[in-house]
Amino acid sequence: MKTKFNTVLWILLLLAYQLSFAQAQQKTVDQRVDSVMRLMTLDEKIGQMNQYNDDRIATGPITVDNEKAKQIRNGQVGSLLNCVSTERTRKWQEIAMQSRLKIPLLFGQDVVHGYKTTFPIPLAEACSWDLDAITLSARIAATEASASGIHWTFAPMVDIARDPRWGRVMEGAGEDPYLGSMIAAARVKGFQGDNLGDVNSIMACAKHFAAYGAAIGGRDYNSVDMSDRLLWEVYLPPFKAAVDAGVATFMNSFNDLNGVPATGNKYLQRDILKGKWAFTGFVVSDWGSIGEMINHGNVKNEYEATLSAITAGCDMDMESRSYKNNLAQLVKDKKVPIDLIDDAVRRILQKKFELGLFDDPFRYCNPEREQKELNNPEHTKAAREIAARSIVLLKNENQLLPLSKSTKTIAFIGPLVKALKQNKGFWDVEVPGYDSNFIVSQWQGLVNKVGLKTKLLYAKGCNIEGNDRSGFAEAIKIAKKADVVILSIGERRDMSGEAKSRSNIDIPGVQEDLLKALLATGKPVVVLINAGRPLVFNYTADNATAILYTWWLGSEAGDAIADVIFGDYNPSAKLPITFPLSVGQIPIYYSHFNTGRPATSDNNRNYNSSYNDLSIFPKFAFGYGLSYTTFEYSNLKLSKNKMTPDEKIEVSLTVSNTGKYDGEEIVQLYLRDKVGSIARPVKELKDFKKIALKAGESKPITFTIDKEKLSFYNQQLQWVAEPGDFDLMIGASSENIRLRDSFELL
Ligand code: NOJ
């Protein structure tokens, strides 16, 4: 008893010590920031709020400016973006060190899915539902980017997206606020590591605040019109999760939200983010978005745009030059109190201190470390494993997959088989001095995998786009000689990404016709679909023998695909977004309301909420994905069927691997609040577990239901758990519910 008491006392003392140490440390940073700020002129303060693009790479419309070096020397620039390599960052930092106060520059970059080592695009990685893997890929990206002089990534993008026409659906974690929040936190943790002061940590940036993913019609940069309830319940949670995970920065967004541009939106930035959520980092605008408020039509000119943005809480101006040109005048005109400027500058300088840049502005500019980290074989290994974990098995008729490694002849056909850079997806970074074509192509992956006894045949068949069928004959010829055909088709990598919205999301060109021609040979065909978004591919879905949705997998794509095709990795990924049957169904998502006239089948369209000419069901549901093995769920038990708000219910079940292969299953827990003061969705994901099971093995798993999982925003936007009945569903997908029970909140 006494020992127990001593242990508790010891732990409390340790915690108190840690707390006071952290406070003392923070105080030092605050004091140091103050001491710098006391020396700064207004122009120098505004300089810290000004960010420019380096001249070599552009990820937005460029403003030609030959005065950059001079302005940096004058202390008029606080940060640069698109400036990569130790050589380049050192060059600019040396110029900053010639400024009066020698305040170091911050180097920001879109390190979205890897730096030199490219990982799967974020939406693909989200299919893994594997938070450790996701954290690891961000950690490696941070290690490489920081070794190359970068302090700050403009990632993760945590926008919920329910419209696959929107090109940037590739950059997030899909449609669901719960999964999206878990992944947002995992990515922030990965980029920032344990401590921003570690030399291999970079600042993360939660973007785009807010609701950018709900652009009307899926058209990039378009307006967003949304109820407050939907905003709070679906679109804000991943941002809140990023704040809770300690994210250092936020980026606001191009869209207007209910008529107010996000960049000048005080409700979002000052009231919610910096007020209610007490976010202590800083907010950067999106590229030129302060100036673009003039186009939105909320302000007359740059002067008014600047006033709107700074008042709303935007601390740094990316590339619009509005702050540089107008802030001083606004202060002089007494429109902007100096406190607003001081608050913004304090937030920015705080991060520069936390990164250790005031102690050593060149600490990220170490060419030896750069050389070492950009050639780290461990990174390649992880990229391959994470890529394999991101591939979704959508169909596997007659258990065609995995293929045997002694298959005699394989015809590998399609416009993406030998592609290199395509595999990298939209946000790859061209790192100077490194061959950006250094990628394991899908062809190479197969060559690496099969032995000498397997004959590999290749034909391109057709292009990604266009009507040219002249390659079909050769493709059919080799298909006839093969035991099995693998066909690699899909989008080009630049068909999804920023400004890449599409109204037609079919597989482009004649690629599905090529599949038809190949199937006519009678050979089994495995289709690899490469894309940055859910595509519509009903012919393929209904006729191919097997389908792997490979998205864009990054530098190790070929090896990872081969690992899955031949069963060295048993696919475990599940969709984080609904795949529509037709663009006509968009937006389609699993957590919809029931409506007053719910349609439950396509056979009854009698005055209910259905289409007259189209099914109401998606092609592939949220949470769907197959494995080479099979899983059974049994033995569902709830510790009780009634709980008070202070109590918890333990949910337990058994999952068994009933097939021939070892595998992993993502077990999903959904709830439905049956009667609420406002309508509640038919199903909401509230928890999941990814577990590994050997063939024949069974494992118990448990979930805990607490008040938090039962809460929602009521009409007054209060976060409440209302008493009443709840349905509990345990599923292998949002559609494939295996076990059910119900309970009551008292
Ligand atoms: C515009 C994009 O919306 C944003 O996500 C990105 O970080 C910036 N350009 C910088 O490249």
Side-chain angles (χ1 to χ4, degrees):
M1 183 69 191
K2 202 166 166 205
T3 346
K4 213 168 172 188
F5 177 76
N6 281 342
T7 319
V8 171
L9 194 67
W10 189 83
I11 291 172
L12 284 176
L13 281 173
L14 188 72
L15 284 176
Y17 168 75
Q18 280 174 343
L19 193 69
S20 65
F21 183 71
Q23 279 168 345
Q25 256 193 340
Q26 186 56 34
K27 214 166 166 194
T28 333
V29 170
D30 288 346
Q31 284 169 342
R32 291 177 79 187
V33 170
D34 281 341
S35 66
V36 176
M37 284 186 57
R38 273 196 292 274
L39 304 174
M40 293 172 83
T41 63
L42 176 61
D43 279 350
E44 283 165 333
K45 287 180 181 172
I46 294 168
Q48 288 305 305
M49 301 164 71
N50 186 28
Q51 184 189 54
Y52 285 155
N53 185 48
D54 189 1
D55 305 312
R56 294 194 311 185
I57 311 168
T59 47
I62 305 187
T63 307
V64 179
D65 187 340
N66 299 322
E67 300 263 291
K68 265 175 210 160
K70 189 167 146 207
Q71 290 179 36
I72 293 173
R73 229 172 257 121
N74 286 343
Q76 290 172 302
V77 183
S79 171
L80 288 179
L81 76 144
N82 285 331
C83 174
V84 289
S85 82
T86 51
E87 195 194 331
R88 190 89 182 158
T89 50
R90 176 171 286 275
K91 178 200 129 182
W92 287 117
Q93 201 65 295
E94 274 168 357
I95 296 174
M97 288 305 108
Q98 294 161 22
S99 65
R100 190 178 77 93
L101 293 175
K102 302 189 186 347
I103 299 177
L105 287 168
L106 266 181
F107 298 110
Q109 179 70 32
D110 292 287
V111 182
V112 175
H113 46 103
Y115 183 67
K116 189 228 153 193
T117 308
T118 319
F119 288 88
I121 57 167
L123 186 60
E125 220 179 58
C127 296
S128 71
W129 299 47
D130 185 330
L131 302 177
D132 291 340
I134 289 170
T135 299
L136 179 64
S137 101
R139 186 86 291 277
I140 292 173
T143 304
E144 291 188 0
S146 62
S148 208
I150 290 158
H151 310 129
W152 178 20
T153 175
F154 305 125
M157 188 191 96
V158 304
D159 296 306
I160 294 296
R162 296 177 161 186
D163 190 334
R165 293 172 299 180
W166 190 49
R168 297 194 83 166
V169 71
M170 53 79 58
E171 209 177 321
E175 75 181 46
D176 185 66
Y178 178 78
L179 181 60
S181 298
M182 302 300 278
I183 291 177
R187 290 195 165 128
V188 169
K189 230 165 67 190
F191 287 127
Q192 298 193 166
D194 295 332
N195 186 345
L196 263 195
D198 295 340
V199 76
N200 60 1
S201 288
I202 58 177
M203 295 195 295
C205 179
K207 70 188 190 185
H208 305 83
F209 199 57
Y212 182 43
I216 294 172
R219 196 151 49 83
D220 209 359
Y221 316 123
N222 206 0
S223 297
V224 173
D225 192 55
M226 181 181 287
S227 72
D228 243 0
R229 201 201 45 76
L230 187 63
L231 178 73
W232 279 92
E233 197 159 294
V234 174
Y235 286 82
L236 292 186
F239 288 101
K240 175 65 165 52
V243 172
D244 292 343
V247 73
T249 71
F250 258 57
M251 185 184 291
N252 56 38
S253 144
F254 289 125
N255 57 284
D256 73 82
L257 174 62
N258 304 328
V260 183
T263 303
N265 199 314
K266 179 173 165 293
Y267 173 57
L268 288 174
Q269 296 169 93
R270 241 183 241 293
D271 300 350
I272 299 177
L273 178 61
K274 292 177 174 175
K276 198 173 165 59
W277 294 349
F279 171 65
T280 55
F282 70 88
V283 181
V284 64
S285 79
D286 204 342
W287 183 299
S289 67
I290 299 179
E292 286 172 19
M293 281 197 278
I294 303 167
N295 290 342
H296 279 285
N298 294 68
V299 292
K300 223 175 16 210
N301 49 33
E302 228 189 41
Y303 179 87
E304 286 188 6
T306 305
L307 175 61
S308 168
I310 182 76
T311 309
C314 173
D315 302 304
M316 187 181 275
D317 172 359
M318 181 192 287
E319 264 294 311
S320 92
R321 289 157 174 76
S322 306
Y323 279 8
K324 172 176 162 275
N325 296 336
N326 298 280
L327 263 183
Q329 191 59 45
L330 279 159
V331 173
K332 224 179 270 163
D333 296 346
K334 302 211 172 344
K335 296 260 174 59
V336 171
I338 189 71
D339 286 359
L340 283 195
I341 309 258
D342 282 348
D343 177 59
V345 176
R346 183 169 285 112
R347 288 167 182 270
I348 294 165
L349 293 185
Q350 220 153 25
K351 293 303 163 204
K352 292 189 176 185
F353 271 109
E354 285 172 28
L355 285 162
L357 295 178
F358 275 95
D359 299 319
D360 176 6
F362 300 101
R363 69 194 294 256
Y364 286 65
C365 299
N366 174 344
E368 285 89 61
R369 189 166 85 88
E370 181 178 38
Q371 186 64 21
K372 183 175 151 247
E373 293 300 0
L374 300 197
N375 294 290
N376 187 335
E378 288 301 311
H379 298 181
T380 316
K381 197 169 148 242
R384 178 172 177 167
E385 280 165 18
I386 295 169
R389 292 181 159 266
S390 306
I391 298 171
V392 192
L393 177 65
L394 292 180
K395 185 177 182 186
N396 196 15
E397 229 171 61
N398 309 326
Q399 300 296 303
L400 174 64
L401 292 174
L403 296 185
S404 150
K405 282 182 195 154
S406 51
T407 307
K408 282 212 185 80
T409 310
I410 300 173
F412 201 1
I413 297 170
L416 286 150
V417 173
K418 292 204 172 174
L420 291 170
K421 255 174 131 169
Q422 291 295 341
N423 294 290
K424 283 185 139 186
F426 186 80
W427 284 106
D428 80 300
V429 186
E430 298 270 342
V431 182
Y434 290 89
D435 182 0
S436 61
N437 282 319
F438 197 76
I439 291 151
V440 184
S441 72
Q442 300 176 8
W443 175 257
Q444 191 58 47
L446 229 64
V447 170
N448 294 345
K449 182 68 72 183
V450 297
L452 290 174
K453 285 195 192 127
T454 303
K455 203 160 165 196
L456 287 180
L457 307 173
Y458 164 73
K460 185 174 172 198
C462 64
N463 295 320
I464 292 172
E465 288 181 291
N467 295 322
D468 186 358
R469 290 175 164 79
S470 60
F472 280 26
E474 176 62 15
I476 293 166
K477 196 167 122 198
I478 66 160
K480 284 184 177 158
K481 291 186 194 153
D483 300 299
V484 57
V485 176
I486 306 173
L487 175 67
S488 183
I489 55 178
E491 290 187 315
R492 268 197 334 269
R493 69 172 180 143
D494 63 355
M495 285 177 159
S496 49
E498 187 182 344
K500 304 295 177 200
S501 295
R502 290 176 62 201
S503 64
N504 174 353
I505 55 170
D506 294 350
I507 295 186
V510 292
Q511 297 180 93
E512 283 197 296
D513 293 346
L514 175 61
L515 170 63
K516 202 184 243 173
L518 295 172
L519 285 168
T521 63
K523 302 290 172 159
V525 183
V526 179
V527 179
L528 311 179
I529 302 182
N530 306 264
R533 53 158 63 83
L535 292 173
V536 169
F537 47 97
N538 294 315
Y539 176 79
T540 304
D542 297 342
N543 295 284
T545 327
I547 303 172
L548 291 167
Y549 214 82
T550 59
W551 308 96
W552 300 119
L553 294 171
S555 19
E556 295 302 303
D559 280 335
I561 290 172
D563 286 342
V564 168
I565 288 180
F566 292 95
D568 288 333
Y569 183 75
N570 181 358
S572 63
K574 301 211 180 200
L575 301 175
I577 185 164
T578 305
F579 275 42
L581 182 69
S582 150
V583 274
Q585 292 179 323
I586 296 171
I588 181 168
Y589 46 91
Y590 82 91
S591 64
H592 56 83
F593 288 163
N594 201 35
T595 80
R597 294 187 177 187
T600 48
S601 95
D602 286 334
N603 300 327
N604 175 7
R605 291 177 168 149
N606 195 17
Y607 288 101
N608 61 21
S609 179
S610 54
Y611 294 109
N612 282 348
D613 58 350
L614 183 65
S615 164
I616 50 167
F617 298 106
K619 192 71 193 173
F620 297 104
F622 174 86
Y624 172 82
L626 301 172
S627 161
Y628 295 150
T629 191
T630 45
F631 297 101
E632 253 175 44
Y633 296 30
S634 61
N635 238 350
L636 177 65
K637 284 199 188 86
L638 270 58
S639 59
K640 51 182 159 234
N641 285 86
K642 289 182 197 299
M643 68 181 259
T644 64
D646 300 330
E647 291 176 340
K648 292 184 172 132
I649 295 180
E650 296 297 323
V651 177
S652 60
L653 67 138
T654 306
V655 182
S656 310
N657 181 343
T658 49
K660 286 195 306 236
Y661 300 91
D662 298 350
E664 288 155 274
E665 174 69 328
I666 301 165
V667 183
Q668 302 155 41
L669 182 147
Y670 296 91
L671 291 180
R672 177 175 185 179
D673 185 345
K674 291 183 79 173
V675 182
S677 55
I678 56 170
R680 304 301 305 140
V682 293
K683 218 173 262 156
E684 289 176 281
L685 181 74
K686 290 292 177 179
D687 211 341
F688 63 88
K689 291 235 155 71
K690 184 163 188 173
I691 50 160
L693 291 169
K694 299 242 172 278
E697 190 186 11
S698 293
K699 267 187 193 165
I701 56 173
T702 55
F703 296 103
T704 304
I705 306 285
D706 58 10
K707 183 178 147 203
E708 188 62 19
K709 286 199 174 2
L710 311 180
S711 300
F712 65 95
Y713 288 102
N714 67 10
Q715 226 162 358
Q716 291 72 39
L717 287 182
Q718 293 150 336
W719 182 244
V720 292
E722 295 176 345
D725 292 331
F726 289 81
D727 282 338
L728 178 140
M729 294 155 270
I730 304 287
S733 82
S734 60
E735 243 177 33
N736 183 2
I737 300 300
R738 302 288 188 85
L739 300 168
R740 292 173 191 271
D741 206 334
S742 57
F743 61 90
E744 187 185 351
L745 176 68
L746 299 169

